[in-house]
Amino acid sequence: MNDFRGRVLKEKIKDLFAEVVKMLVEMGYVSLDIQYIDGIKMEAKSKKYTDTILEK
C-alpha cells in the first residue's frame, strides 16, 4: 500500500494541488505575485512523552 501511495499518488497529488492553485488564482482568492514560506517550528506533544519514557 505504501509503495502504491509513493509511486502513483505522489504525482496525482502534485497535479491536483497545481490545479487547485490555478483555480484559486483564476477566482481571485490567491495571488502568485508574492510567496511566503512559513518557517515556524513547533514541538509535538508526543515528543515530550517519548523523551520521558526513554529516560526511564
Side-chain angles (χ1 to χ4, degrees), residues 2 4-5 16 19-20 25 34-35 41 46 48:
N2 193 32
F4 172 77
R5 284 193 307 241
L16 177 63
E19 289 297 319
V20 169
V25 169
I34 300 174
Q35 291 120 26
K41 295 181 181 180
S46 62
K48 292 178 185 177

Side-chain angles (χ1 to χ4, degrees), residues 1-18:
M1 187 66 157
N2 193 32
D3 188 42
F4 172 77
R5 284 193 307 241
R7 286 184 296 113
V8 177
L9 289 182
K10 187 175 184 177
E11 199 60 38
K12 297 291 183 189
I13 290 172
K14 280 180 162 181
D15 295 341
L16 177 63
F17 181 75

